[in-house]
Amino acid sequence: MAAVNGGGVSLASQAYMEGKAVKETRALVADLCRQFYSLGWVSGTGGSITIKVHDDCIPKPQQLILMSPSGVQKERMEADDMYVMSGNGSILYAPSPKPYPHKPPKCSDCAPLFMKAYEMRDAGGVIHSHGMESCLVTMLNPSAKEFRITHMEMIKGIKGHGYYDELVVPIIENTAYENELTESLTKAIEAYPKTTAVLVRNHGIYVWGDTWISAKTQAECYHYLFDAAIKLHQMGLDWSTPSHGPIQQGRGAISAPVKAGLKDSNHNSEPLPRCILLDIEGTTTPITFVADVLFPYARDNVGKHLSATYDTEDTQEDIKLLRSQVEDDLAQGIDGAVSIPPNDAGKDAVIAALVANVEAMIRADRKITALKQLQGHVWRTGFQNNELKGEFYNDVPEALQSWHSLGIKVTFSFPLWSASLH
């Protein structure tokens, strides 16, 4: 029996590494890679797989790990091509180099991510697939951080889920190099304790299970469900609702086109619009938000804003407009107008006069450019400082995401409001 120390089987146990269990697992990884190649999961040397060598006599965290190499033709791999690693990820065996045109052996670039699944989920096997379905499904909604689906029979093949459950798979953003995904994958595993997979946008998926059989079964189910979602999307059907009925975007103030084109009165196809112009008050946002939140914020924070941004180009332009407006107001005898001293009177004196005039304008509910422009800049500062948070009708985010996924530009009739959407 192999001796165990710290992270895995003792280095002295060469006989164990050449024993039946390791040999069978080596052959299994090679065989699975050939199967996955036929499914399109590991073509072009992409994708990878790792399996722990099961042994009832060795605690699972200390069991040996076999891992397919990086940058090789997965369908042509042989048992001896596998890396053998200890439970803590140390390489115990590396394959020998092959003659030209083969590249020198290299452990999988996925190794740090595989280790996270072993460490954080006590996995027995992990599969990384580049299957087309797992890539395309992350593009259906480019801003979505999750994939959701429910009421599909194959959900039952995912650990901890039944037919009526909603399956949620986190989506992380892709990076130039595989190992750079480690941190975001770790955060996704922590944030979704029930998940057995993480999608990588425009890339693929990582799937793990208690055993290699569980990982393989779930990987097949995930790809089936992704393919179903893509086909339902093409049909204009919603995969995330129990009925899988037509995609509904307009449940409130606005609605979004979801088909490849619009139909005119004669049922002829028309191209989608290039841009959609939206009003704010009463269309995307309750009118009460403007009256009860934005206006009081601008009134109470105008002095702080002017003081903090006094030397910026925008604020100097705001002051110039206000000076001109106040001069006209004084000439016309407008109630509340206060003379603004010249700049050489000092910043504090200028700001005090500006605040007095702005407060008077707000009380009188004046619709003038100088006031509106300053208010917009005050609100922009508030959003940037996280002192303000936009409020939208429930259907607005979904509609905006749908338009964005269709390549339609969305703009707002109030130009400074865009600061709240970032």
Side-chain angles (χ1 to χ4, degrees), residues 40-43 46-47 128-135 178 203-205 223:
W41 293 4
V42 293
S43 57
H128 175 43
S129 163
H130 284 193
M132 184 64 73
E133 306 95 329
S134 62
C135 182
E178 201 99 26
H203 182 149
I205 188 172
H223 282 79

Side-chain angles (χ1 to χ4, degrees), residues 150-166:
T150 188
H151 284 66
M152 294 285 287
E153 180 67 14
M154 294 296 274
I155 292 177
K156 291 161 62 175
I158 307 301
K159 180 181 178 181
H161 290 77
Y163 172 77
Y164 296 103
D165 292 326
E166 181 183 46

Side-chain angles (χ1 to χ4, degrees), residues 221-286:
C221 292
Y222 279 118
H223 282 79
Y224 176 97
L225 293 167
F226 298 153
D227 186 42
I230 292 166
K231 290 176 178 174
L232 286 168
H233 176 76
Q234 293 171 337
M235 296 165 63
L237 302 178
D238 190 347
W239 59 92
S240 65
T241 61
S243 65
H244 302 308
I247 297 174
Q248 299 294 321
Q249 297 289 347
R251 292 190 295 273
I254 58 180
S255 62
V258 296
K259 300 293 181 66
L262 303 175
K263 301 288 184 179
D264 60 19
S265 58
N266 295 321
H267 301 286
N268 296 317
S269 295
E270 295 180 350
L272 289 170
R274 289 183 297 173
C275 179
I276 295 176
L277 176 65
L278 294 176
D279 193 9
I280 300 297
E281 295 183 65
T283 301
T284 65
T285 300

